[in-house]
Structures are given as structure tokens and as C-alpha cells.
Amino acid sequence: MKRRYYSMKEDIIRVQNDTLLAISAAEDARALDEARVASLGKKGALTALSMGMKDVPQEQKGEVGALLNAARTEITAALEQKQQALEEAADRAALAGIDPTLPARFLPTGGLHPLTLLRERAVGILRRMGFALADGPEIEDEFHCFDALNTPADHPARNVKDTFYFDSGKLLRTHTSSVQVRMMEKNVAPLRIIAPGTAYRRDEIDSTHLSAFHQLEGLYVDRDVSLPDLKGTLEAFLRELFGSQTEVRFRPHFFPFTEPSFEIDVKLEVKGQAPRWIEVAGCGMVDPAVFEAVCQSRKDRSFDPNEVTGFAFGMGLERLAMIQWGIRDIRLLIENDVRFLRQFA
Ligand code: DAH
């Protein structure tokens, strides 16, 4: 019994020393793992010794156990240390020939286009006022773009000279007002929506016209919506956009889909110019004929003009951006000249 005990102690110390030697000699992760398996693995030398514990006399168990634990702790620590050393060496090797003190390479970052900036601001203000975002197709039919909006067949906007028609009879929407109709077909009052989007007209491109441009449409339908609601909403919106002191005026106008209709002007000082009235939007109270067209299309009376009223508005986003930043030529907004765009980044 005594002999066995002594040889057990010696065995533990021998395994410990052999393993520590193997660890320090390991030159890569594989050799290190082999040293670990050979001592602490399921069939490892130290594991085998631990299993011999059951034969150690009771009074010596404590001492042998402590020796075993110490060996395990030392081996584990040596394994960790060596692994870290190997990883560090691998990192150093990977960086060989690279000068980490060189300044970083310049990575150019982009910025948002002024039209995007303006649209996000406008949409943000209107959403805070309770309008929800809406969307509709850019390839439209005549019903949603014109007929339902009370625009007669002989209206100039319906001319092939002014509008891009497809052979199918469909067209590129000339305004975002078509989204009003689509939203009323699918929802019921109260309805508060805004629809930013692209519109198309066969215009000659010059400093104030593009054939593809952007609008922001708005519609509010409920019981008892009145002209003061329209004025208050749009005045608040424009003052938030252009500054709290901005003067706003409503000038009587005509649109087929609203009655009465107005154009809205704001008095603004465009950079480097004397303050003047600038037209920024069209608006009006939804014409009962539009509600009737929607009711016919829905085949119900959800938008009975005797029950509901509403206001609508539409504005050109390029125009708002030009006013906001004093941009003189609308073409700057589509040319993607970084010297121009960089100013907004
Ligand atoms: N659709 C008009 C345009 O393209 C803008 C407009 C005017 C929209 C009055 C409206 C409105 O909703 O009520 O010029």
C-alpha cells in the first residue's frame, strides 16, 4: 500500500513535468492540443491517475488529491498561456511587412440629396400633424389620374402633347393627386394621407422644368372638415418648413378636383434677393364630383359628399428645395455634380 502511494505521487509529478515540457515545446496549435489530450483528455495520463484515486488509502487521499488538483491547475494554466502566446505570434506574423502606423486610407462617405433632405423634412412635419404616408403607381390609368379627379376629356393635361401615354392607354401620372382617389377607394373616413412621389409631364427641360419631377400630395377627409382647417394646417406646415415668421397667403385659383381652389404663396427672401411672394402649392376643398366618382368606383356611399368633406393639397418638391436653398436652376438637382451636391452633405 505504501509503495503504491509513493509511486502515485511520483507518477503525478512526472506526468505534470512531462506535460509542461510538451506544452512549452509545442510550436503550433496542433502540438499544443496533443499535449492537452495526452494529459487531460479522456484517456490522458493525468485522467488515468485521477481514476487511481479510488485505490489510495483513506488517510492519504487528501494529500494525493491535492497533488492531482495542483497538477491539473498548473497544466491548465500553462495550456492557456501557451495558446495566447501562439495566437500573438500568429498575429505578429500576419502583420509582418505591414506598417500599422501609416495613416488610414480616406474613405469617402456620401450624403443625402437635397431633394431627399427636403422630402424627409416635409414628410416629418406632416406626419407629426397626423398624416400617414401613402403610395400609388407611377403608371396610371386615365380614371385615377383624370376622370375621378373631375378633369374633363378635353382638358389640356390629357393631351398627348402634354402627357406620356402608353399604347395600352395607360400613362405616366402627371401629378400625385391620383393617390387621393386610390386611397379613398381602399379606405373610409377619417382619412389623412400624404403621398410624396414622382410625376411626369412632356415639358421641355429648362431652368424651371423637368419632365420627371416630384410632388407631395395631401388629403384630409372627415365629417365637417372646413376651409379654416385647410388654412391652419398648411400655414402651420409652411411656417415649420420656412420659419415661424413666414407670411402665407391663399390666392383664389382653379383646379378641377377642388372647389374652392387656391394657390398658396409664401413671402420669402430667396438668398440674395429682395423678399417676394413665391407660389409653393395648390390646394382646395375636395370637389363633391370627386367624392361621387369615388363612391361609384367603390359601389358604396362611404364618401357621400353630403356626409363628408375634405381638403387636398399638392406641391412640387424641386420647387420647395430651390426656394429653401436659393437654387437658381432646377437642372442642378438631376445632374449629380458632386461640387453642387457636396454642399448639402
Ligand atoms: N395636382 C396639382 C398639380 O399637379 C396640384 C394640386 C392642386 C393638388 C390642388 C391638390 C390640390 O391636391 O388640391 O399642379
Side-chain angles (χ1 to χ4, degrees):
M1 239 355 154
K2 203 158 193 189
R3 249 191 66 79
R4 170 170 250 161
Y5 160 56
Y6 279 126
S7 76
M8 179 92 165
K9 267 176 81 175
E10 279 162 19
D11 285 350
I12 292 171
I13 287 162
R14 184 177 45 72
V15 167
Q16 175 176 338
N17 288 340
D18 287 355
T19 306
L20 291 179
L21 266 178
I23 289 172
S24 89
E27 278 178 3
D28 55 24
R30 205 172 136 187
L32 189 64
D33 200 49
E34 275 166 16
R36 181 184 63 77
V37 173
S39 56
L40 305 181
K42 247 194 220 159
K43 295 180 182 151
L46 203 71
T47 311
L49 287 172
S50 308
M51 295 205 272
M53 270 296 278
K54 61 179 187 305
D55 302 324
V56 175
Q58 191 59 38
E59 68 276 15
Q60 286 149 9
K61 267 197 176 22
E63 196 184 346
V64 176
L67 213 54
L68 266 174
N69 277 341
R72 180 178 298 277
T73 307
E74 264 204 56
I75 290 171
T76 307
L79 280 168
E80 268 173 24
Q81 229 179 358
K82 183 70 182 202
Q83 181 176 349
Q84 214 179 337
L86 285 176
E87 278 170 8
E88 276 167 18
D91 286 349
R92 267 198 305 282
L95 280 176
I98 295 174
D99 180 356
T101 65
L102 278 176
R105 227 168 268 175
F106 173 66
L107 280 183
T109 51
L112 292 179
H113 190 279
L115 263 186
T116 308
L117 290 171
L118 190 114
R119 187 194 62 220
E120 287 189 354
R121 269 194 65 213
V123 165
I125 297 168
L126 289 161
R127 288 187 65 163
R128 282 200 297 284
M129 294 171 106
F131 288 89
L133 269 180
D135 200 2
E138 292 177 15
I139 297 175
E140 256 303 357
D141 50 47
E142 290 198 282
F143 176 74
H144 292 92
C145 200
F146 297 129
D147 296 297
L149 289 165
N150 197 31
T151 306
D154 60 358
H155 193 279
R158 304 188 66 156
N159 197 302
V160 288
K161 282 211 221 88
D162 290 329
T163 299
F164 295 104
Y165 279 91
F166 294 91
D167 291 342
S168 64
K170 287 207 166 187
L171 51 91
L172 290 178
R173 67 180 180 196
T174 57
H175 53 185
T176 45
S177 302
S178 50
V179 183
Q180 288 184 29
V181 180
R182 290 193 174 272
M183 292 311 286
M184 285 192 278
E185 283 175 329
K186 293 260 150 49
N187 299 281
V188 294
L191 187 61
R192 276 188 298 267
I193 55 108
I194 45 170
T198 316
Y200 303 84
R201 289 181 198 170
R202 289 184 76 153
D203 278 335
E204 283 296 331
I205 296 180
D206 61 25
S207 65
T208 52
H209 295 86
L210 296 175
S211 50
F213 57 102
H214 300 86
Q215 291 190 326
L216 189 138
E217 191 77 19
L219 173 71
Y220 175 27
V221 182
D222 201 350
R223 287 175 184 277
D224 302 323
V225 177
S226 64
L227 197 51
D229 296 321
L230 162 64
K231 285 193 76 177
T233 304
L234 289 175
E235 271 176 16
F237 166 72
L238 290 167
R239 292 207 176 114
E240 181 114 15
L241 195 66
F242 290 119
S244 59
Q245 303 304 313
T246 307
E247 283 182 73
V248 181
R249 91 180 166 192
F250 290 73
R251 214 170 1 88
H253 196 73
F254 174 79
F255 295 105
F257 33 88
T258 43
E259 178 62 31
S261 304
F262 305 89
E263 278 189 332
I264 311 176
D265 301 333
V266 290
K267 196 168 193 178
L268 278 179
E269 202 174 322
V270 177
K271 267 187 197 122
Q273 296 172 26
R276 62 187 169 94
W277 288 106
I278 303 171
E279 179 222 319
V280 289
C283 67
M285 301 304 295
V286 177
D287 194 304
V290 174
F291 287 138
E292 279 300 343
V294 167
C295 285
Q296 273 188 28
S297 169
R298 295 176 57 106
K299 299 191 178 64
D300 70 19
R301 302 298 299 165
S302 301
F303 286 88
D304 186 335
N306 298 314
E307 301 288 328
V308 296
T309 51
F311 68 73
F313 55 93
M315 49 197 124
L317 291 178
E318 279 82 358
R319 198 181 166 77
L320 292 183
M322 289 170 79
I323 295 167
Q324 177 97 69
W325 289 294
I327 299 167
R328 300 275 181 87
D329 193 319
I330 197 171
R331 289 168 291 199
L332 284 165
L333 293 170
I334 57 166
E335 281 167 354
N336 285 336
D337 184 334
V338 285
R339 290 169 303 179
F340 168 72
L341 295 176
R342 198 172 277 143
Q343 303 173 78
F344 304 92

